[in-house]
Amino acid sequence: MILQPPKLMKAAQVKHYGDIDEMVSVEDSVIVPSLEDELIIKEKISPAFKSIIKKDRETHMIIKTLAVSLAPGDNRVLSGRTRYLQGPPSLPYVPGGDCCGVVVDPGNSTYF
């Protein structure tokens, strides 16, 4: 069963690189992503990393997040020091890949 996600969500957002205490803010009206959204890469990143991002998108899914945490790797990425190899494809960015939740759109995934 595919649940219909809401149009807006509450999310931590990063709008620029820097000290994590200054750049992360919680916003109440962030547009919920869709698997049909076009991937726009605005940041200068490695061509190899760019191809990985586009390929990984084929295996993405949308979840209703129940809990999320920032790992040490998130702090490193969001500092901007490793942006060429592992930064977000564009800003603003919603960090926190370590999460749990309920799948609302499995996309092309046949397992999860």
Side-chain angles (χ1 to χ4, degrees):
M1 177 172 100
I2 297 176
L3 302 173
Q4 185 64 33
K7 302 274 188 241
L8 299 174
M9 65 181 180
K10 184 176 187 177
Q13 258 192 336
V14 175
K15 295 183 181 176
H16 58 84
Y17 294 108
D19 182 39
I20 197 161
D21 291 331
E22 296 173 6
M23 67 176 175
V24 176
S25 62
V26 176
E27 306 289 335
D28 289 322
S29 300
V30 178
I31 296 173
V32 173
S34 166
L35 295 174
E36 285 78 35
D37 290 346
E38 180 182 352
L39 177 63
I40 299 172
I41 298 175
K42 297 178 183 175
E43 298 294 313
K44 182 179 179 181
I45 59 176
S46 158
F49 184 51
K50 189 180 291 188
S51 69
I52 290 170
I53 289 173
K54 288 182 178 181
K55 185 172 187 243
D56 278 353
R57 193 154 169 89
E58 298 169 8
T59 62
H60 285 183
M61 62 181 64
I62 302 293
I63 65 168
K64 177 182 179 184
T65 304
L66 301 175
V68 67
S69 68
L70 293 178
D74 292 310
N75 192 31
R76 180 183 59 249
V77 168
L78 298 175
S79 72
R81 291 184 294 244
T82 60
R83 80 174 116 197
Y84 186 69
L85 296 173
Q86 60 178 162
S90 63
L91 297 171
Y93 172 70
V94 178
D98 296 341
C99 62
C100 74
V102 178
V103 175
V104 294
D105 184 351
N108 294 327
S109 297
T110 56
Y111 62 93
F112 51 87

